[in-house]
Amino acid sequence: MDGVHDMGGTDGFGKVEPEANEPVFHHRWEGRVLAMSRAIGVFRAWTIDTSRYAIELMAPSFYLSRSYYEKWFLRNQNLLIERGLIDADEVAAGRALRPAKNLSRGPFSLADVDKVTRRGSYGRPAPAAAQFKVGDRVRTRNIHPTTHTRLPRYARGRVGVVERLHGAHIFPDSAAAGKGEDPQWLYTVRFDAQELWGPDAEAKLKVSIEAFEPYLERA
Amino acid sequence: MHDAAFLGYISSMAEHDHDHNGGSNLSEMELRVRALETILVDKGYIESAALDRIVELYETKIGPHIGAQVIAKAWSDPGFRHALLEDASKAVAAFAPHVGNVGDHLIAIENTPQVHNMIVCTLCSCYPTDVLGLPPTWYKSFAYRSRAVKQPRAVLADFGVTLPVETEIRVWDSTAETRYLVVPMRPAGTERWGEAQLAKLVTRDSMVGTGLPKKPSEVA
């Protein structure tokens, strides 16, 4: 979707302000939100792509004005309700009002921690031969799906060169829509800055994206 | 998907915010997060001790010191450097027991006198957490996400870094599940240094590409 989350190239956000000796979490609750996000993963109620899409669906004013972990918290709470793991009246009450339905496994416990602090694999067997090879010139498609996509706006309809081939991966556009993994070839596609930003682009700059095959056509 | 209910819920939360500011030592967010944790524990989904452990891991065990050791080894051992650039997930997992928790699709890219690499995620916050820990706030900031792909030299200036005009800047937008780790250039004057000493030169930002390694005089 063409949302505010797709920020590449947007002007006006000001300088980057690194914080010296930044703590991992600025508030205790941020750590709890992160930990809950990881823990809930064992119930496989949603995928990483669904969770990104849920944040993209937040109202632009909310997205822009709330902190990172506030958005994560709201995303978690909302998806938990939507998937029926908890109920809205329980959130309002601040406590459980009824037992969990269809609990597929026991509680997330210390023995499960290693499972969720290790990243999963998103690679999948390729459904067909790759259409492009390293060195090919490709053009990204000028597409504007209203649902989740990982093709950023600044890199649509642009000509670049295939630099790396990563095998086939879960296709986020499909997974986030609840249409299954639909594995697709994943490439690193490199663009000259002038192709993306015009004649006033910074000199000696190249930018790459990770592009799924359905985002690309031969140039 | 869940637009209407979701947005309605957001606006009710926003109102909730204004109704209850002040009057408690705990912030509104702390209270909401505690309530959600209570519900999840009471319903049998999670145990709080397991959450404590996850927080502890990210606060004390999974951080940029892992990446720093990887880079120091790459600087010291040409065979490891080659293996790292070939398949970073494999090379890093085999490197030492304390970095055994590395997931798939980690890719190491090397800075050279000709090319300086920088990593960003313009769409969200994708970051090589397995080797660098959780991303700092600036990496997730709108300023970084918006500018890194368009004005990386200006962003580098925000970090106090100026590169020669002839150096090419290469920005990698992490738009998939691949994760990138920058291998910075080994500082001159460290020829006789061992891995442990070299690791002290490797900053988090130098492995994201917004910084350079420390100078030998800074850690001597």
Side-chain angles (χ1 to χ4, degrees):
Chain A
M1 59 183 282
D2 291 348
V4 291
H5 69 281
D6 184 356
M7 294 193 151
T10 304
D11 293 323
F13 287 117
K15 286 167 72 96
V16 181
E17 294 175 350
E19 179 184 341
N21 304 312
E22 183 178 348
V24 174
F25 301 110
H26 290 79
H27 305 282
R28 180 189 175 277
W29 64 265
E30 294 182 343
R32 305 313 281 182
V33 171
L34 183 279
M36 274 187 255
S37 303
R38 294 279 194 269
I40 290 299
V42 299
F43 292 95
R44 300 184 184 282
W46 58 80
T47 67
I48 193 166
D49 299 302
T50 309
S51 69
R52 290 197 186 114
Y53 185 34
I55 286 184
E56 293 166 11
L57 285 170
M58 293 178 181
S61 58
F62 187 90
Y63 185 97
L64 293 171
S65 60
R66 299 308 175 104
S67 77
Y68 185 76
Y69 285 115
E70 271 185 272
K71 283 178 277 199
W72 272 41
F73 167 75
L74 191 72
R75 181 265 318 275
N76 294 348
Q77 187 165 273
N78 188 71
L79 285 174
L80 286 163
I81 295 170
E82 184 185 284
R83 301 298 155 97
L85 276 75
I86 65 172
D87 294 311
D89 59 348
E90 295 178 306
V91 168
R95 61 192 169 84
L97 300 174
R98 55 194 71 84
K101 284 173 282 190
N102 308 319
L103 203 55
S104 59
R105 46 159 289 151
F108 177 86
S109 67
L110 280 170
D112 298 311
V113 168
D114 281 351
K115 290 176 198 155
V116 299
T117 51
R118 183 191 180 96
R119 284 191 82 225
S121 178
Y122 300 87
R124 295 292 183 268
Q131 283 191 41
F132 307 108
K133 62 182 188 305
V134 171
D136 281 356
R137 272 166 53 88
V138 290
R139 181 186 297 276
T140 51
R141 293 181 191 274
N142 182 15
I143 50 171
H144 295 266
T146 56
T147 47
H148 182 68
T149 185
R150 297 293 288 180
L151 178 60
R153 258 176 291 185
Y154 75 85
R156 293 178 190 167
R158 307 296 181 185
V159 174
V161 175
V162 172
E163 185 175 288
R164 289 172 184 246
L165 180 50
H166 301 291
H169 283 216
I170 295 171
F171 187 38
D173 305 44
S174 174
K179 293 179 179 169
E181 296 188 344
D182 188 22
Q184 301 288 341
W185 287 95
L186 179 64
Y187 305 86
T188 297
V189 177
R190 184 187 67 229
F191 305 91
D192 286 330
Q194 282 75 17
E195 174 71 7
L196 301 176
W197 311 115
D200 295 330
E202 271 192 13
K204 303 219 63 163
L205 167 63
K206 289 188 165 63
V207 177
S208 62
I209 62 167
E210 307 294 89
F212 291 88
E213 197 167 86
Y215 300 164
L216 303 173
E217 57 195 10
R218 204 164 292 280
Chain B
M1 190 175 148
H2 44 46
D3 315 55
F6 195 46
L7 298 180
Y9 191 67
I10 287 172
S11 67
S12 77
M13 279 191 60
E15 285 162 28
H16 195 64
D17 243 3
H18 300 300
D19 290 346
H20 294 271
N21 275 337
S24 165
N25 290 325
L26 292 172
S27 74
E28 190 69 28
M29 281 309 299
E30 181 73 35
L31 293 171
R32 281 187 204 150
V33 173
R34 282 188 184 199
L36 183 60
E37 183 173 338
T38 300
I39 294 167
L40 293 174
V41 169
D42 288 352
K43 289 176 88 81
Y45 292 116
I46 58 173
E47 290 176 359
S48 283
L51 299 191
D52 297 343
R53 177 69 183 143
I54 294 174
V55 171
E56 184 196 340
L57 279 173
Y58 284 109
E59 285 187 329
T60 63
K61 298 274 192 271
I62 306 173
H65 60 281
I66 298 173
Q69 288 167 14
V70 171
I71 301 303
K73 179 144 180 102
W75 284 347
S76 310
D77 176 346
F80 180 76
R81 174 183 157 272
H82 182 79
L84 182 68
L85 295 172
E86 197 69 23
D87 184 342
S89 290
K90 200 169 147 192
V92 170
F95 168 47
H98 62 276
V99 289
N101 232 11
V102 173
D104 284 356
H105 322 307
L106 183 69
I107 297 166
I109 46 176
E110 195 175 39
N111 285 349
T112 66
Q114 290 76 38
V115 180
H116 178 89
N117 295 284
M118 248 172 92
I119 313 304
V120 64
C121 174
T122 61
L123 297 173
C124 49
S125 56
C126 300
Y127 188 75
T129 303
D130 293 326
V131 284
L132 299 188
L134 294 172
T137 299
W138 64 256
Y139 185 84
K140 303 177 285 189
S141 71
F142 304 150
Y144 186 72
R145 289 168 52 194
S146 62
R147 286 174 88 198
V149 290
K150 193 179 188 180
Q151 300 172 311
R153 283 182 196 271
V155 169
L156 286 169
D158 292 345
F159 285 84
V161 174
T162 309
L163 296 174
V165 286
E166 61 272 19
T167 302
E168 178 185 309
I169 298 187
R170 170 59 184 282
V171 179
W172 302 72
D173 192 353
S174 302
T175 55
E177 296 311 327
T178 38
R179 293 290 176 271
Y180 286 91
L181 176 71
V182 174
V183 181
M185 286 191 286
R186 179 173 177 164
T190 59
E191 290 72 20
R192 293 171 176 277
W193 288 34
E195 275 178 43
Q197 211 180 355
L198 285 169
K200 292 180 190 163
L201 299 170
V202 185
T203 63
R204 176 196 62 206
D205 294 358
S206 74
M207 295 181 277
V208 184
T210 55
L212 301 174
K214 291 180 185 168
K215 294 188 180 72
S217 58
E218 290 179 75
V219 303

